[in-house]
Amino acid sequence: MDPSALNYRHLSPLLRAELRSDHAGEAGAVMIYKGVLAVTRDLNVQRFAHAHLRTEQKHLEFFEALLPADERSRLLPLWRLSGWLLGAVAACGGASAVYATVAAVERFVVEHYQAQIDFLENDPELTELRNQLRAFQQDEASHLTDADNQNPVSPQLRGGSRALWSWIVDRGSRAAVITAKRI
């Protein structure tokens, strides 16, 4: 879909808020991988991060072309910093922490995109947008599967620690979306 084909300013305020949160989320996702890459020395994690970073950059480019600058979250510097720190902290915990972090984020993102896809289901004028969100959701689901398949069980992040970390990442993602919709 060509984002310039959609008249963003004619969309409902609710949908514009959703797309603003998508833009903020993709900006944060790009920075997660940059944070991972700044810290990790693990070649497998580096390959994983580079591959996923390219996808997230394409998603971000779409939303940057769609949203006028004045419609983007005013907290973009915070989302970028938070993403970078999340990736860097995860990388300090090793490969398992990186994969657990990505899996937690992507589980939430797949759910978030599904809610938007469902919202657009009965609007034939927004079929292309819905299809684009579905394609992004499939990319994110692929990242989730990749993270789950790569994730070794390490002593640093086992059992309750992994569950607690995943819960923190999930709750942070949810809070960021709620905030980005408003600010």
Side-chain angles (χ1 to χ4, degrees):
M1 171 187 182
D2 175 10
S4 64
L6 186 63
N7 190 336
Y8 179 82
R9 297 209 191 264
H10 288 134
L11 299 175
S12 73
L14 178 63
L15 183 54
R16 288 164 55 178
E18 289 290 336
L19 295 171
R20 182 172 44 254
S21 75
D22 292 343
H23 175 261
E26 296 297 349
V30 163
M31 296 308 291
I32 288 171
Y33 291 110
K34 288 184 177 186
V36 167
L37 289 166
V39 172
T40 190
R41 299 296 169 247
D42 183 314
L43 294 178
N44 289 328
V45 172
Q46 288 175 357
R47 280 190 287 274
F48 172 88
H50 278 297
H52 293 256
L53 174 59
R54 282 189 295 276
T55 304
E56 300 299 354
Q57 286 173 322
K58 289 178 185 174
H59 295 181
L60 180 58
E61 288 168 9
F62 172 84
F63 287 111
E64 297 226 326
L66 178 63
L67 275 73
D70 65 329
E71 286 283 334
R72 297 174 188 167
S73 174
R74 293 188 308 270
L75 298 176
L76 275 175
L78 175 63
W79 306 137
R80 289 183 181 117
L81 176 62
S82 298
W84 192 93
L85 288 172
L86 180 59
V89 167
C92 287
S96 184
V98 170
Y99 299 133
T101 300
V102 169
V105 168
E106 298 299 16
R107 261 187 210 91
F108 169 73
V109 173
V110 167
E111 174 188 316
H112 178 67
Y113 275 136
Q114 187 60 53
Q116 293 174 342
I117 291 164
D118 291 346
F119 177 77
L120 297 172
E121 194 63 42
N122 296 319
D123 192 336
E125 292 181 22
L126 297 174
T127 298
E128 285 186 56
L129 177 59
R130 184 182 69 243
N131 291 341
Q132 187 65 62
L133 294 178
R134 187 173 285 126
F136 289 167
Q137 180 192 41
Q138 290 168 352
D139 290 341
E140 307 297 1
S142 174
H143 293 182
L144 169 58
T145 299
D146 193 21
D148 281 343
N149 289 340
Q150 296 289 325
N151 201 354
V153 177
S154 73
Q156 292 86 5
L157 195 62
R158 199 176 279 203
S161 297
R162 177 179 284 160
L164 176 60
W165 178 249
S166 296
W167 182 84
I168 290 168
V169 171
D170 176 81
R171 293 301 176 228
S173 298
R174 291 176 191 282
V177 164
I178 290 168
T179 305
K181 286 180 185 179
R182 296 182 178 139
I183 302 173

